[in-house]
Amino acid sequence: MNKKKKKKNKNKKTAINFFSFFFLNKINIFIQQGCFAGDGVYGGSSHNHYQNPRLITFPRQHQRSSSNGLRRQKRDWVIPPINVPENSRGPFPQVLVRIQSDQDKEIEIRYSITGAGADQPPNDIYIIDPVTGKMSVTKPLDREERASYHLRAHAVDINGNQMEPPIDLYIYVIDMNDNRPEFKNQVYNGSVAEVSKPGTSVMQVTAFDADDSTTANGLVHYRILSQTPHIPIPNMFTINGATGEISTIASGIDREKVSQYAIIVQATDMEGSLNFGLSNTATALISITDINDNPPELDSKTCFILFCGFTFRDKDQPHTPNWNAVYRITGGDQMGHFAIRTDEITNDGRVVVVKPIDYERNNAFTLMVVVSNQAHLASGIPSSPSSSAAVAITVLDINEAPVFPSNPKIIRFEEGVPADTTLATFAALDPDRFIQQTIRYSKLSDPANWLKINRTNGRITTTAVLDRESPYMKKNVYEATFLAVDNGSPPATGTGTLQIYLIDVNDNVPVLVPQEALVCERSRHGYPVNITASDLDSEPNAGPYVFELPSYPSSARRNWTISRLNGNYAQLKLRIPYLEAGMYRVPILVSDSGNPPLSNTSVLKVKVCPCDENGDCTVIGAVTVAGLGTGAIITILICIIILLSMVLFFVVWVKRREKERQTKPLLIDPEDDVRDNILKYDEEGGGEEDQDYDLSQLQQPESLDHIMSKPAGVRRVDERPVILESQYPVRPTVPHPGDIGEFIIDGLRAADNDPTAPPYDSLLVFDYEGSGSTAGSVSSLGSSSSGEQDYDYLNDWGPRFKKLADLYGGGGED
């Protein structure tokens, strides 16, 4: 009885589900055709929608009283949403609803809507008639762009006064099946191992439908359309229609026969309905991966004293985990000196040394080597998963470098160690125990040149005083390096580092900081001077410091006082109310905290000056502090004024000269030009009268009438050619200084190209030298080799010619 009842309920439930699915599909089709108008869905071109749109009135407000006398308002109802199908064909604008106020019978009402889609982006999708209150949509809607809108309706009078509280309007866009399913990729890649069992998951494909996923429009169903190749059967794979997961459905997948399958997958919406749904396809490429069903084989072993190589062979797919070789050393190398490197191309193995080998400890090894695949051998294969071999390795001895037992070696000393002090013995050991060798030492690095090392035994001594405050010290440590070289073949060298830690000694006096300070002349103004000290030593040989004023000179303690701030700082200030402005040298005794302490008297240069109300030194005060009195300041000011006056006078003089140069004519008057005048300097005779020259041209003419008749400025006796004269540039009346050079160059260029400009191509008279000379011709002063001349008359010419008379007077002796 119970079984029949359950079966009856199950059949009843199935019938209800079928009816629901059928009814929903009918409603969806009805909505797409624009025929469902009961809930505010206005599609197609139904005439009733425009004549009788759905009426929405503003909610009435009721006053409800409470026990305490207060009143609250309650709306009558909640306005249902407005449903609008997407992709409507119009005509537009398409009336959706009508907004109405109960007060429109009494006063004139104006309606408006606000919100996204009305007066906010995207603007003007919805409009409202301000008089009738009819709200319309102006264009087709796309649910995939925007699925809903929230607007607010307002009612005001003609003066803009709010007559009704705003009401909220919710508009929902009804989805239509207008989008095909889209795969995320057009080609999907997956893989499955060969010999996989049926039901093995391979991969998953995914398609997305932009339509509403809560309706059949967005529900996607998957199916396989084809498989390539059809080996061993056409249907080797299946797909989950809801999730898109692809899995194997049959056995017999063999990589050696088929290495890849291509599957065409189809995605259809409307829950896979081929009559009403939209479809799209994609390709799924399934690669068959290899499994390790062939064990590796070690073909040959090639071993030498320093090298051992293995040749490998495997039938599986090359360069996969089933083919790649893995070499392991299973015995004979307890200390891990060796490893085996695999050639990525040939898969061969090579034994290499990864840890230094000491010949003195072990000079021979026998290794056990095993080779296998990266992937485990598949179950059921009747073969060993690995191959093994024994390798004998002989170690050769080489000369090793000496080794310092402690490297770096650290020693500690107090600073101030004198020269020629032995610090330590830094000796090295020779690892070659079976060979007797000699070690020699030398210095590699000694920045301060403080050390030296004995060449044979490595004893290190100082060559200078060790100072912790040296710039070569780093964190109280001085570091030097040394070499140890044996006499092997070839020689080997070892390096050792010696670090000397110097302990601080109180050997530096503290120094006052700062060296200069500024103080106001009246103690009530300004601020005290903060002083501290600097000590090259470190704690506890540095601070805290003690600051004191010495008893001498007495003015130090009479005028100044020091007060302690803390261990490292103190304050210096005036003891007296007023101190005359000037430069003062205040001695301060500073002591450190060493044992015993060191003291130092430092001089602080204090500038005392007049200050303003803020305690800042005035300008006059600063000058006074610099050591200049009132008379010196006045003298400096007078000198500055005189210097400025001289500079001003020089500038005025230069300007005046420049002005005169501009107003003066550019060229000199021809009457004043001395270059064209004939000047008579002296008469020295007519020259060589015994030569056959025409000297008349060199003599002054008897008459100068034909010269004087020429225009002014011309004083030549030669004649110019009778041709047209060249045109010269015209000089401006008041030339600019920048134009003078240009004017001269133009004039020079015109004169060079003017054939009428002197000098002409004729004999010129340059000067007049007189009509004759009383001294006679100099041609009589000649030398003759045949006759003798008497030069005794030279003695009568005076002492100036005595030398000449001595040379020529005694002709017979010469």
Side-chain angles (χ1 to χ4, degrees), residues 150-406:
H150 178 202
L151 304 179
R152 305 197 77 186
H154 307 269
V156 299
D157 59 11
I158 59 176
N159 295 323
N161 298 318
Q162 179 178 324
M163 305 305 299
E164 298 283 358
I167 59 175
D168 294 321
L169 302 177
Y170 294 94
I171 303 174
Y172 295 103
V173 182
I174 304 301
D175 182 44
M176 299 297 172
N177 190 21
D178 57 348
N179 291 279
R180 293 180 179 274
E182 296 290 341
F183 284 94
K184 292 184 178 180
N185 302 307
Q186 284 300 312
V187 178
Y188 290 83
N189 293 287
S191 62
V192 65
E194 61 177 333
V195 198
S196 295
K197 297 179 180 180
T200 302
S201 178
V202 179
M203 60 189 302
Q204 185 178 14
V205 296
T206 305
F208 173 76
D209 196 315
D211 293 324
D212 191 357
S213 60
T214 61
T215 66
N217 298 334
L219 296 179
V220 180
H221 184 79
Y222 302 92
R223 63 171 55 86
I224 294 177
L225 297 182
S226 64
Q227 169 194 308
T228 303
H230 297 172
I231 299 175
I233 60 175
N235 300 318
M236 295 293 295
F237 303 93
T238 184
I239 189 170
N240 187 308
T243 63
E245 182 181 6
I246 300 175
S247 58
T248 61
I249 196 175
S251 61
I253 299 176
D254 191 354
R255 187 197 66 83
E256 285 72 24
K257 295 180 180 179
V258 178
S259 60
Q260 188 180 68
Y261 288 93
I263 296 177
I264 305 300
V265 180
Q266 183 186 56
T268 306
D269 59 12
M270 296 298 292
E271 295 183 328
S273 174
L274 299 178
N275 295 327
F276 303 104
L278 303 177
S279 302
N280 213 335
T281 60
T283 302
L285 299 178
I286 302 176
S287 299
I288 308 303
T289 59
D290 184 36
I291 64 171
N292 189 16
D293 54 352
N294 294 284
E297 297 179 6
L298 200 59
D299 284 350
S300 62
K301 298 180 285 292
T302 306
C303 297
F304 302 95
I305 295 178
L306 296 177
F307 169 79
C308 185
F310 303 93
T311 302
F312 178 84
R313 181 169 59 88
D314 196 316
K315 297 179 181 179
D316 290 324
Q317 183 178 359
H319 305 291
T320 64
N322 300 327
W323 178 83
N324 294 337
V326 177
Y327 296 92
R328 292 178 293 113
I329 298 176
T330 59
D333 185 22
Q334 292 79 8
M335 301 301 294
H337 293 288
F338 303 96
I340 300 179
R341 299 285 185 259
T342 304
D343 191 310
E344 296 180 356
I345 299 177
T346 64
N347 222 17
D348 295 337
R350 185 179 59 179
V351 179
V352 296
V353 178
V354 295
K355 185 177 180 181
I357 302 173
D358 190 355
Y359 174 83
E360 284 72 25
R361 293 185 179 181
N362 199 340
N363 56 11
F365 295 89
T366 300
L367 307 180
M368 294 299 299
V369 179
V370 176
V371 59
S372 59
N373 292 124
Q374 288 182 352
H376 294 289
L377 188 66
S379 60
I381 304 300
S383 301
S384 175
S386 61
S387 179
S388 60
V391 181
I393 299 177
T394 302
V395 181
L396 300 179
D397 187 23
I398 62 172
N399 184 28
E400 299 177 75
V403 177
F404 289 91
S406 56

Side-chain angles (χ1 to χ4, degrees), residues 630-642:
T630 305
I633 296 175
I634 296 175
T635 302
I636 292 174
L637 293 177
I638 293 175
C639 292
I640 293 174
I641 294 173
I642 294 174

Side-chain angles (χ1 to χ4, degrees), residues 398-454:
I398 62 172
N399 184 28
E400 299 177 75
V403 177
F404 289 91
S406 56
N407 192 10
K409 183 174 184 177
I410 303 176
I411 58 177
R412 300 171 65 91
F413 282 90
E414 286 189 352
E415 67 170 324
V417 176
D420 296 327
T421 301
T422 301
L423 300 181
T425 299
F426 199 23
L429 302 178
D430 193 347
D432 298 315
R433 294 175 297 173
F434 304 120
I435 304 175
Q436 296 296 328
Q437 298 183 132
T438 304
I439 299 177
R440 292 292 180 264
Y441 301 93
S442 62
K443 187 169 60 175
L444 177 62
S445 173
D446 183 11
N449 199 22
W450 285 347
L451 308 174
K452 64 179 179 179
I453 186 170
N454 188 287

Side-chain angles (χ1 to χ4, degrees), residues 1-16:
M1 185 71 179
N2 292 333
K3 292 183 178 179
K4 291 182 179 180
K5 189 174 182 181
K6 289 182 179 180
K7 185 174 182 181
K8 185 176 180 181
N9 292 336
K10 183 177 181 181
N11 294 337
K12 186 176 182 181
K13 186 176 180 181
T14 304
I16 291 174

